[in-house]
Amino acid sequence: MITDVVVVGGGPNGLMLACELGLAGIRPLVLERLPEPSKEPKANGLLGQVVRMLDHRGLYERLSGSTEPPLPNSAYFMFGALNLDLSLLEDSPVHALPVPQHRIEQVLEERALELGAEIRRGHEVVGISQDEDTVTVEAVGPDGPYRLRARYLVGADGAHSVTRRLSGIGFPGVTYDRMTVRSAHATIPAEWVDPGTGSLTVPGYGTVPPFLPRRTERGGFSYAPLPGHPPLLSTTEWDQSGTDIPMSLDELRASIQRVLGVDVPIGPPDGEGPHVLRRLTGGNTRVAERFSDGRIFLVGDAAHVYSATGGGPGLNLGLQDAVNLGWKLAAEIRGSASPGLLESYGTERRAAAHRMVLNAQAQSALIAPGDDVTGLRAVFGELLRDRNTVRRLAELTTGADVRYDMGGPDPHPWVGRFAPELDLHTSTGTVRLAELTRTARPLLLDLTDDAVLAQTLSEWHHQIDVVTARPRTGAPTALLLRPDCHVAWASASPHPDTEDEQALRTALRGWLRPTG
């Protein structure tokens, strides 16, 4: 038997891809090496554009437990341990979703199973080969070795990806060995915490706001009071001597004293674990030399890894890899993809990955020790008083600046970007645009006076959703959204003419082939 898609890796990225394929009617097979979901503390939440993406799939409500849409952070954020004053912006691109990674995986697995995915745990891939039509996978499961064939294989199996290695895809980049990061859940004196702001007041040092790292000449310190968990304390130091001694709270306490210059009495964490207690030395920033090889594709950490810069860049980027690839893979399988659509996955997502490399490198430079870096930070801090600078850095950090090249002359400013926030007045009431994209189908939003654009695409109506509505002030008059919610075409004309209609058809044919 030949299955359509085998996904190697049952972490967040592989499960997100399974959800996207399921929405398109494809039933993937997910092979996960671990026999059961990991409870090891990893990411503590999601940040930026990916939060809005989850809202557009109906997953934000499941993860947040709230029926309210995600709201942007209007206070402070960070870039290289420097404050970004988001109150300077009319509409902040910083959306945060504080939820542990094991919960993210749980929700995505539940949704993938609802949509028809098969998930096999305790199954390890040990061999891969491909020909012109299929990929052959050799795996070992609880009952022994077996072989299966698939039309496509996707490696979502992490930084040490077996898929990438067996496919012969290089993983060039830089390894850093100067930095040591120590992290632990711990208790701190209750009287040091401001109940109003959540800030930590350290006698002899000063105030440390929550989730905003502090840099000194000797290193970095951060304090993260995550909901439902003991505070997570972290330090960053350079050029530390290596050791095989297990990490301990005493080691973290000594590191905090070196970084801040004062003692912080920390104690064992309260509540049930597992709790964080780790030491990480060095790091990697790498991007795969290509994101595909024939019928094999890479997503997430299998395609890119980054040195720690805050905000979980790897997980946020990987989930969006999955969303970008899912609809394209499904369209290719169904025969509705335009020529070259699958190749655009690597083009678009490698560009986004390299953009994140720029982000990681810039932040690493700003938190490094030394008087010269201190001078750089002073100048940089002056630049952060400018609204435009704050916006550009906030968009870079959150991935909101990603703009895919959709082709065509002089595109609308929204073309290529993720769909804007819109409240639409339809015949059945007011609805958010995010609520119209939960099926992951292409969407034409016709806000023209007589809905003329919807009428001109009658031959496409079985492949795309068409919604007519009254626009809000300042909105465009028409939007064409790809299944990944990026704007493929937009118009600001209240009375579209033949040229507008032709531009819309051209944009649609750029990635979708008529099938009926």
Side-chain angles (χ1 to χ4, degrees):
M1 294 182 62
I2 299 178
T3 188
D4 284 320
V5 181
V6 168
V7 179
V8 183
N13 301 320
L15 293 171
M16 188 72 199
L17 177 61
C19 292
E20 292 295 297
L21 291 169
L23 286 170
I26 307 299
R27 305 292 182 256
L29 170 62
V30 180
L31 302 180
E32 167 55 46
R33 178 179 58 84
L34 297 177
E36 59 184 25
S38 172
K39 295 183 179 180
E40 178 186 354
K42 294 180 181 178
N44 296 308
L46 300 169
L47 177 81
Q49 200 72 9
V50 71
V51 177
R52 293 191 58 221
M53 181 69 249
L54 293 172
D55 180 37
H56 280 252
R57 289 296 187 260
L59 294 167
Y60 176 81
E61 183 174 333
R62 295 191 183 201
L63 287 165
S64 67
S66 171
T67 58
E68 296 297 320
L71 296 175
N73 181 9
S74 59
Y76 285 88
F77 190 53
M78 60 184 177
F79 186 86
L82 290 166
N83 289 344
L84 295 182
D85 186 356
L86 301 178
S87 67
L88 296 174
L89 309 180
E90 294 180 2
D91 53 337
S92 168
V94 179
H95 295 75
L97 178 59
V99 57
Q101 182 166 323
H102 70 83
R103 176 58 182 162
I104 296 172
E105 293 182 8
Q106 181 183 32
V107 168
L108 292 178
E109 180 172 342
E110 290 172 355
R111 183 57 174 153
L113 291 173
E114 291 172 5
L115 294 169
E118 179 185 352
I119 300 174
R120 298 180 184 176
R121 294 194 173 275
H123 291 249
E124 183 174 4
V125 172
V126 296
I128 297 173
S129 61
Q130 63 176 316
D131 55 30
E132 186 175 338
D133 300 314
T134 61
V135 181
T136 299
V137 181
E138 297 178 23
V140 178
D143 296 327
Y146 64 96
R147 179 178 296 178
L148 56 85
R149 297 170 68 200
R151 297 178 65 179
Y152 294 96
L153 177 89
V154 180
D157 45 348
H160 302 287
S161 171
V162 171
T163 305
R164 187 186 63 239
R165 177 175 57 81
L166 294 176
S167 302
I169 299 176
F171 204 36
V174 178
T175 297
Y176 306 92
D177 57 6
R178 291 189 59 196
M179 186 183 301
T180 299
V181 179
R182 297 176 176 88
S183 304
H185 284 123
T187 56
I188 53 178
E191 63 272 17
W192 287 19
V193 180
D194 187 317
T197 65
S199 295
L200 180 66
T201 301
V202 181
Y205 174 78
T207 300
V208 179
F211 307 107
L212 295 177
R214 283 292 182 257
R215 173 199 178 265
T216 73
E217 289 292 341
R218 299 166 297 279
F221 173 75
S222 67
Y223 157 71
L226 296 162
H229 297 275
L232 181 66
L233 306 180
S234 298
T235 62
T236 303
E237 295 185 85
W238 284 262
D239 302 323
Q240 294 277 294
S241 300
T243 178
D244 295 328
I245 299 174
M247 172 69 177
S248 66
L249 286 180
D250 286 339
E251 180 179 335
L252 178 61
R253 185 181 299 111
S255 179
I256 295 174
Q257 204 285 330
R258 290 192 297 269
V259 170
L260 298 184
V262 297
D263 183 55
V264 176
I266 61 176
D270 296 326
E272 296 183 5
H275 294 123
V276 172
L277 183 63
R278 62 174 173 243
R279 178 200 311 116
L280 299 176
T281 301
N284 290 279
T285 295
R286 298 181 180 277
V287 178
E289 60 185 14
R290 58 189 185 278
F291 282 17
S292 65
D293 181 75
R295 292 178 170 269
I296 300 171
F297 293 82
L298 303 176
V299 298
D301 286 356
H304 43 68
V305 293
Y306 304 90
S307 58
T309 57
L315 180 55
N316 287 281
L317 200 67
L319 291 172
Q320 294 179 83
D321 289 346
V323 174
N324 186 287
L325 178 60
W327 71 275
K328 295 175 179 178
L329 208 52
E332 187 71 25
I333 292 169
R334 292 195 310 261
S336 62
S338 64
L341 179 64
L342 263 183
E343 286 77 5
S344 72
Y345 165 69
T347 301
E348 292 180 346
R349 296 312 297 167
R350 284 193 87 248
H354 282 292
R355 187 70 175 163
M356 194 59 71
V357 167
L358 178 66
N359 171 25
Q361 291 174 330
Q363 294 204 55
S364 294
L366 284 168
I367 65 173
D371 292 341
D372 51 348
V373 175
T374 301
L376 173 64
R377 290 173 60 85
V379 174
F380 210 82
E382 294 178 4
L383 297 176
L384 294 182
R385 300 170 189 167
D386 177 72
R387 177 185 296 123
N388 291 331
T389 302
V390 171
R391 171 165 294 283
R392 293 193 67 172
L393 291 177
E395 290 181 346
L396 170 64
T397 305
T398 60
D401 64 340
V402 171
R403 186 178 188 183
Y404 299 140
D405 182 6
M406 299 293 178
D410 191 24
H412 187 281
W414 283 356
V415 170
R417 297 188 181 278
F418 192 82
E421 299 275 8
L422 290 178
D423 291 323
L424 306 167
H425 306 292
T426 70
S427 59
T428 58
T430 301
V431 63
R432 294 189 302 124
L433 177 56
E435 298 176 78
L436 300 175
T437 61
R438 305 270 164 93
T439 60
R441 281 170 56 85
L443 173 66
L444 173 64
L445 186 62
D446 190 343
L447 308 178
T448 58
D449 294 339
D450 301 316
V452 295
L453 291 174
Q455 300 171 29
T456 66
L457 294 181
S458 58
E459 75 272 28
W460 298 86
H461 282 190
H462 68 292
Q463 290 182 268
I464 69 174
D465 291 336
V466 179
V467 174
T468 59
R470 296 193 312 276
R472 68 174 186 178
T473 303
T477 56
L479 285 176
L480 176 65
L481 300 188
R482 304 190 319 185
D484 61 0
C485 302
H486 280 259
V487 179
W489 174 85
S491 173
S493 173
H495 303 288
D497 54 20
T498 303
E499 185 176 344
D500 292 315
E501 295 176 8
Q502 182 59 41
L504 171 58
R505 289 175 176 273
T506 299
L508 196 54
R509 289 194 180 97
W511 45 273
L512 189 61
R513 177 185 299 163
T515 59

